[in-house]
Amino acid sequence: AVPGRTGMGLPAAVRDRVAAVHRGSALPERLRLYDGWAARYEQVRGTRRERERRGPWVPPLTAVSPQDVAALEYRAPHLAAASLAFAFPAPRAEARLLDVACGTGLVARELHRRGFRCLHGVDGSAGMLERARSTGLYQELRLCVLGRDPLPAPAEHYDAVTVVGALGEGQVPSTVLPELLRVTKPGGFLCLTTRSNPSNLRYKAELEAALGQLEQRGAWQKLLAQEVEYWERATTEEESTQGTGYISGVVYIYQKCPVPHLEEG
């Protein structure tokens, strides 16, 4: 096989785990999969720089090699945090952020590097939250299944809200957007991501229609919609973008209206 093709040489176990959490399985089953994946998640989805810093991962005897498990090169947390930091006015240390579907804390690490210190997180998986808690980066972590439960926060509570990696087919429905807006302060920022691979195109179209409807209603204004070709490694040839072996994705930055006006003088 040509290197970089047919699932990028990913082992079947990794391909199957990624496919299982992305397909439209029932919610209890999907949460169980994430609970079971929590211990391995960062080895699968960590950035190359993070993996090199951590050093080699010693897998269980039944697992695949660390080189294969670490092969997805998941860039969304880095790209999202960089985009939000670019849009966000200084100072950042006192800004209150909500990391929705926070997983093991990959986004929190990237935000922390960029000066954000007041981080809250929610996730539907208790296993993922346990790993996120161990990072020490969050001031508050709560169990919440977005799309089923309301966010555990009062209205207009956060300066920014991030949803990185969870807006996709078989995961968080696009109907959650008003709830994300509810907990965001007027003038606050929302950073959202989704994938552009073939199996997610229907969801992406629904998401962008919902984003546009809220913009037309004056709920928020779009600051950025950045398409990224090398989002993460593809798990199948069919999902690969033009034979590159990667799938593409997009980062959206919105600002909730009304946007406060700076006083003159």
Side-chain angles (χ1 to χ4, degrees):
V2 178
R5 304 290 291 275
T6 319
M8 299 296 295
L10 292 173
V14 174
R15 293 199 305 271
D16 290 347
R17 278 196 290 274
V18 174
V21 298
H22 283 166
R23 63 174 167 253
S25 54
L27 179 61
E29 170 66 8
R30 202 160 67 246
L31 294 177
R32 186 189 67 78
L33 289 165
Y34 270 114
D35 283 341
W37 197 14
R40 292 187 178 133
Y41 185 79
E42 291 194 35
Q43 281 77 28
V44 174
R45 291 209 123 152
T47 65
R48 181 183 299 167
R49 188 189 317 165
E50 286 172 340
R51 296 196 304 269
E52 289 171 351
R53 187 176 65 251
R54 282 197 302 264
W57 173 62
V58 180
L61 292 177
T62 56
V64 295
S65 73
Q67 291 85 0
D68 285 340
V69 171
L72 278 180
E73 296 181 23
Y74 182 54
R75 299 176 64 211
H78 166 78
L79 295 166
S83 298
L84 179 60
F86 182 78
F88 201 93
R92 300 170 186 164
E94 301 302 317
R96 189 187 296 130
L97 271 67
L98 179 64
D99 183 9
V100 176
C102 63
T104 59
L106 292 175
V107 176
R109 287 189 180 89
E110 297 290 343
L111 291 169
H112 197 266
R113 290 191 188 115
R114 289 163 176 81
F116 295 100
R117 294 291 183 268
C118 185
L119 304 175
H120 295 183
V122 296
D123 200 276
S125 163
M128 291 286 186
L129 286 174
E130 185 179 348
R131 303 289 290 191
R133 192 168 285 110
S134 71
T135 67
L137 296 175
Y138 293 96
Q139 293 188 341
E140 181 181 299
L141 284 164
R142 302 281 292 276
L143 189 69
C144 173
V145 180
L146 198 60
R148 185 190 72 185
D149 307 327
L151 289 170
E156 302 183 359
H157 191 62
Y158 290 101
D159 297 287
V161 173
T162 64
V163 189
V164 178
L167 292 168
E169 190 70 45
Q171 296 184 288
V172 174
S174 59
T175 52
V176 303
L177 296 180
E179 179 65 2
L180 302 177
L181 269 164
R182 180 187 69 81
V183 301
T184 306
K185 294 178 182 179
F189 298 85
L190 296 98
C191 177
L192 316 172
T193 73
T194 196
R195 293 167 286 116
S196 303
N197 52 305
S199 65
N200 199 54
L201 289 179
R202 182 173 67 89
Y203 178 95
K204 183 185 176 188
E206 291 175 359
L207 176 65
E208 292 189 334
L211 294 171
Q213 288 168 6
L214 286 166
E215 188 170 22
Q216 289 173 359
R217 284 163 41 190
W220 59 16
Q221 61 184 31
K222 181 167 65 178
L223 304 183
L224 176 74
Q226 179 65 53
E227 292 277 355
V228 179
E229 185 176 359
Y230 296 101
W231 189 255
E232 67 178 281
R233 292 200 176 206
T235 55
T236 67
E237 181 68 19
E238 292 74 25
E239 294 292 285
S240 173
T241 301
Q242 298 179 339
T244 61
Y246 286 79
I247 66 171
S248 53
V250 58
V251 180
Y252 308 95
I253 302 288
Y254 281 83
Q255 189 170 22
K256 182 174 176 177
C257 299
V259 177
H261 294 286
L262 294 174
E263 293 184 7
E264 296 183 2

